[in-house]
Amino acid sequence: MRIRVEYAGQRQHTCSMIPPRWLRRQLTTAATIGVCVLLCAIIIVRRHDKSRNHYLSPELMNHAIKPTLGQDSLLTRQESTRLCRQHGFPTYGKARKVYDLVLFSTELDWLEIRLNTLASYVDYFVVIESPTTFTNKPKPLILQQNWNRFEKYHEKMIYMVVQDPVVSTRHWDHEDFFRNALLQEVFPSLVGTHKEAHKGDVLLTSDMDEIIRPGVALLLRYCDFPSRLTLRTHFYYYSFQWYHHGEQWAHPDATIFGGTIANTLAPNDLRQGLLGPGLLPFAALSRWWNRATLWNAGWHCSSCFATIEEMRTKMQSFSHQPWNTAGNRDSRVMMSRVRNGLDLFGREGEIYDRFEHNEDVPEYILRQNGESGKFKYLLNRDGEDAGFEDWNVTSNAD
């Protein structure tokens, strides 16, 4: 398009709205570069998204790798390199410790199972207990009272009683405090001791009923994984007889100790997917970029208790208080739901598939049950008592 400009009826000059050739070349070049950058960004993001998912090998799922306990490491450099590459991780490159951080309420059996399953693979078990529940009700210090039961593992256990200073009617605020206390209350007390954490060490954050496979602990020790690693676990209810219908459970979680408490992702932030330390935009970018998932990483057995009384105690203690109703606490209702694989709280859409003769169970449970019949309730909920050891006492009390 051209525009004529005339003065006093005489054409003076013609101006063009088409940019000069040199400018057109620059705009074309800039547009080409912009498209290339955008395409490269899309490719990088897609490749990164694909690289986020890792799957535990059958070798580790079947406990085929046993640690060779040596002076400096569980695995040789060659073994650890092969293991990490097999699962899509680079090797970390130097020795580091693994800390298993877990809250304790009443779960003595599960602590026993945890210690016997992971003691050869984990450096320290960080366990805190409180004289109050998440609902701020008083409770006995059960682990403290039964401390001698775990004497074999005392050297590996870092145990602390923590008081709850939170003033809030919101139960989740108390749970958030206790979970973060696993890092913020315990780790400063380790400075200057042989149990002190150093930059690069592994922090595994779990609930007591979430247990990783031993081989996963080897991956955490030797492999260079992102600072937000979700460990997907097979989700059971009541026992390893009832499998939760749906996707694998999205916990526990693993992260890296940053050298100081301030530079380390707090356990509750990790578990809830909240922003970590740093300025807001960089923290948001880090949360998105530095995350991955490892599937088939272990077991989550919810409401897997030996007694009705312990199951009631959990109902009265945990943060989901709307589910803590008189009807749900009724022993006969609980018995029927556990025996028949129905939801403990009567929720619609919660479906459990029955597994017959399930052997994908922590080895310690199978061994103890085979030797002495112990942990029967974790393998079979059939029968009139649904595996509850206090059924007669509880039923008579009701």
Side-chain angles (χ1 to χ4, degrees):
M1 178 180 178
R2 293 182 180 275
I3 300 176
R4 292 183 176 182
V5 182
E6 298 183 358
Y7 294 92
Q10 183 179 3
R11 190 173 67 181
Q12 298 294 318
H13 64 274
T14 302
C15 65
S16 175
M17 295 183 65
I18 300 176
R21 183 175 298 175
W22 65 269
L23 182 56
R24 292 201 303 271
R25 285 199 300 266
Q26 288 190 352
L27 291 174
T28 301
T29 302
T32 303
I33 293 173
V35 170
C36 290
V37 169
L38 179 60
L39 290 174
C40 289
I42 292 173
I43 292 171
I44 290 171
V45 168
R46 286 185 174 179
R47 285 184 176 177
H48 187 60
D49 282 338
K50 287 181 179 180
S51 69
R52 295 183 194 276
N53 286 296
H54 306 260
Y55 298 87
L56 197 67
S57 65
E59 184 181 27
L60 287 191
M61 286 188 66
N62 296 327
H63 316 293
I65 291 183
K66 303 292 184 182
T68 303
L69 292 174
Q71 184 175 3
D72 298 317
S73 65
L74 297 172
L75 298 178
T76 65
R77 180 181 293 274
Q78 184 177 5
E79 289 172 332
S80 62
T81 300
R82 182 183 68 83
L83 190 68
C84 295
R85 287 178 179 174
Q86 182 183 15
H87 291 85
F89 295 107
T91 53
Y92 183 68
K94 62 179 181 179
R96 58 178 172 177
K97 297 190 291 291
V98 177
Y99 294 80
D100 182 19
L101 283 60
V102 64
L103 300 173
F104 180 90
S105 178
T106 65
E107 311 95 334
L108 291 170
D109 276 3
W110 277 106
L111 181 57
E112 177 183 336
I113 295 166
R114 182 179 216 88
L115 292 170
N116 282 277
T117 300
L118 296 175
S120 295
Y121 302 81
V122 167
D123 292 273
Y124 297 110
F125 297 89
V126 178
V127 185
I128 67 170
E129 186 176 24
S130 173
T132 56
T133 67
F134 295 159
T135 55
N136 208 27
K137 296 178 180 178
K139 63 173 286 292
L141 295 173
I142 294 176
L143 178 52
Q144 188 179 82
Q145 295 169 4
N146 292 271
W147 185 242
N148 290 336
R149 175 175 171 176
F150 307 103
E151 182 176 4
K152 178 181 176 181
Y153 298 106
H154 282 179
E155 282 300 313
K156 279 185 168 282
M157 297 176 70
I158 301 170
Y159 171 69
M160 180 178 288
V161 175
V162 176
Q163 301 287 340
D164 182 4
V166 177
V167 179
S168 174
T169 57
R170 183 177 178 272
H171 302 138
W172 293 103
D173 291 338
H174 300 276
E175 180 172 346
D176 294 350
F177 165 77
F178 282 126
R179 200 174 298 282
N180 284 338
L182 288 163
L183 172 71
Q184 296 167 356
E185 299 293 321
V186 175
F187 278 71
S189 69
L190 306 180
V191 175
T193 73
H194 67 281
K195 298 180 180 180
E196 178 181 357
H198 297 93
K199 188 173 182 179
D201 286 342
V202 176
L203 306 183
L204 173 66
T205 302
S206 313
D207 281 347
M208 190 63 74
D209 57 8
E210 300 164 352
I211 298 182
I212 62 170
R213 301 176 191 274
V216 174
L218 293 178
L219 289 178
L220 297 179
R221 180 184 298 276
Y222 293 109
C223 302
D224 189 9
F225 60 88
S227 58
R228 295 174 184 263
L229 181 63
T230 298
L231 302 171
R232 289 278 188 166
T233 50
H234 293 294
F235 189 2
Y236 296 90
Y237 250 89
Y238 312 134
S239 72
F240 291 96
Q241 187 179 31
W242 293 104
Y243 190 84
H244 186 272
H245 190 80
E247 198 170 43
Q248 293 181 21
W249 183 246
H251 301 293
D253 306 87
T255 190
I256 307 298
F257 186 70
T260 65
I261 301 300
N263 291 328
T264 304
L265 191 59
N268 188 63
D269 295 348
L270 173 65
R271 190 174 179 92
Q272 300 300 330
L274 305 178
L275 292 180
L279 296 176
L280 180 61
F282 299 104
L285 178 61
S286 176
R287 178 178 62 178
W288 173 78
W289 186 263
N290 294 315
R291 60 186 175 89
T293 299
L294 179 64
W295 296 82
N296 306 317
W299 307 272
H300 171 46
C301 197
S302 183
S303 299
C304 296
F305 295 115
T307 66
I308 291 178
E309 188 57 35
E310 192 172 9
M311 193 171 281
R312 281 179 177 156
T313 298
K314 179 180 178 179
M315 285 188 183
Q316 295 166 350
S317 304
F318 70 172
S319 299
H320 299 279
Q321 279 306 287
W323 299 345
N324 179 28
T325 65
N328 287 337
R329 292 194 305 270
D330 181 88
S331 62
R332 290 174 177 81
V333 171
M334 295 168 69
M335 272 274 304
S336 176
R337 289 173 173 173
V338 169
R339 186 192 303 116
N340 295 292
L342 303 175
D343 185 62
L344 186 64
F345 307 105
R347 294 169 293 178
E348 295 184 4
E350 294 294 314
I351 301 172
Y352 314 123
D353 298 324
R354 184 184 175 94
F355 271 24
E356 299 289 353
H357 310 297
N358 184 13
E359 294 188 356
D360 184 23
V361 177
E363 237 182 334
Y364 180 73
I365 294 176
L366 294 177
R367 186 168 68 251
Q368 290 295 304
N369 183 257
E371 292 175 357
S372 63
K374 191 175 182 179
F375 301 130
K376 178 184 176 182
Y377 71 96
L378 290 175
L379 301 173
N380 191 332
R381 286 294 194 176
D382 296 336
E384 183 183 357
D385 61 1
F388 287 116
E389 297 172 358
D390 62 344
W391 165 235
N392 290 330
V393 174
T394 306
S395 60
N396 292 334
D398 289 345

